[in-house]
Amino acid sequence: MSTSAVNRQVTLASRPVGAPLAANFKTVETPMPRPGEGQVLLRNIYLSLDPYMRGRMSDGPSYAAPVGIGEVMGAGTVARVQESNHPDYATGDLVLAQGGWQDYAVADAKALNRLDPDMQQPSLALGVLGMPGFTAYMGLLDIGQPKAGETVVVAAASGAVGSVVGQIAKLKGCRIVGIAGGPKKCRYVIDELGFDDCIDHRAADFPGLLKAACSDGIDVYYENVGGAVFDAVLPLLNAKARIPLCGLIAHYNDTELPPGPDRLGLLTRTLLTKRIKMQGFIIFDDYGDRYGEFLAEMGGWVRQGKIKYREDIVDGLENAPTAFIGMLEGGNFGKLVVRIAPDRTSG
């Protein structure tokens, strides 16, 4: 095979202050890497863009090491094996990997998950059948523990995680109220996903509209947002409500505490007096050993049409920074995926 192929890589040029800018990224070209013993060379096809990546761009303490200046942005990818130095993988195999924002990546074979080589929509391994779907499934069912007849409220309801949360809760017999940005997304959540109601968080009387939609209070709140959305949810929580804390996209660009009064006392008093369970989680750290359980059940639901999904696919690695910046502003509609290259089964 040729060794002259160029590997385009999107690297972190500088750490953002507040919202990321195009200048925080830099695209470079390097020689195509070569796999070592026990490794494989991957040609990335689809790249997942997710909100958690904003935290990796900062150097503050977190659950994972930050991306270094000049390093390739990390991400999950669907890839084809281009060259293999491991007996378990052959050229053309379809895999789920942590390939990053680049055309080619070298990976240890043990870090890969094999996918069906004839999978009709491989990008779903980055969405409803991948990390976002897994996050929705475990956060809702293990932490939220919804019961038939309860009211479940889902923030970012049209997104990759929230859309699945609501549909699973509906399968469990709950009443589902979504929160999304704009009439188009709210209509989709109700008409296509089957939520009972959806409130536009941009509406002038958002807190009042949410209260009217949750006349019996809120039993489970799946948190993806924080900010003003959580402020409206907090007084509506019922006694012994459960809050799976998945994300806080409203705060990912914060560089200091928000202005206004300190509301920590209100939060902690509410948690205490209403005996509310609020638990954060890191999906693969906390539930990695249950991925097979998720995939078996979710795969069945998707095949049966019980879980619907929407993808927002952007073509071209060069467009990843713009797409990522837009996602943090709510610009995507569905699971955001970059199609790096056409799929083909051999190099």
Side-chain angles (χ1 to χ4, degrees), residues 16-77:
V17 178
L21 304 172
N24 297 130
F25 303 92
K26 183 179 181 181
T27 300
V28 300
E29 293 186 350
T30 63
M32 186 171 68
R34 302 306 303 272
E37 187 67 27
Q39 295 184 320
V40 299
L41 173 65
L42 303 175
R43 179 174 53 79
N44 290 323
I45 303 167
Y46 292 102
L47 163 69
S48 180
L49 296 181
D50 300 285
Y52 77 83
M53 296 172 182
R54 172 59 183 86
R56 302 280 178 88
M57 298 175 73
S58 300
D59 59 0
S62 186
Y63 61 89
V67 179
I69 300 299
E71 290 183 355
V72 177
M73 289 288 295
T77 59

Side-chain angles (χ1 to χ4, degrees), residues 185-340:
K185 290 183 178 180
C186 285
R187 284 195 301 271
Y188 167 75
V189 166
I190 296 171
D191 297 342
E192 297 296 324
L193 301 182
F195 284 46
D196 296 287
D197 205 343
C198 188
I199 310 302
D200 182 356
H201 67 75
R202 298 171 183 167
D205 186 27
F206 166 64
L209 293 171
L210 183 63
K211 182 177 181 180
C214 302
S215 56
D216 293 328
I218 298 171
D219 299 297
V220 180
Y221 172 56
Y222 198 102
E223 175 65 292
N224 290 311
V225 175
V229 171
F230 184 73
D231 289 345
V233 166
L234 185 61
L236 305 179
L237 293 169
N238 288 331
K240 297 189 177 180
R242 289 82 69 197
I243 306 174
L245 180 53
C246 173
L248 296 165
I249 196 169
H251 302 290
Y252 287 165
N253 292 325
D254 290 354
T255 56
E256 56 187 18
L257 291 175
D262 180 357
R263 291 167 291 180
L264 181 59
L266 172 63
L267 170 61
T268 51
R269 185 170 68 249
T270 302
L271 296 179
L272 171 62
T273 59
K274 291 188 176 181
R275 293 151 290 166
I276 291 168
K277 174 184 177 181
M278 186 174 190
Q279 181 177 331
F281 65 104
I282 306 301
I283 186 61
F284 281 104
D285 287 2
D286 294 326
Y287 296 107
D289 60 340
R290 297 180 66 179
Y291 186 75
E293 168 195 333
F294 150 75
L295 198 57
E297 188 155 31
M298 183 61 70
W301 285 338
V302 170
R303 285 191 299 273
Q304 296 162 24
K306 294 181 177 180
I307 296 288
K308 298 179 180 180
Y309 54 85
R310 183 183 180 113
E311 293 182 298
D312 190 340
I313 296 182
V314 174
D315 279 300
L317 179 64
E318 67 278 7
N319 294 316
T322 300
F324 177 73
I325 291 167
M327 176 189 63
L328 294 177
E329 298 170 348
N332 64 301
F333 194 170
K335 175 68 188 88
L336 186 58
V337 175
V338 175
R339 184 162 38 210
I340 296 177

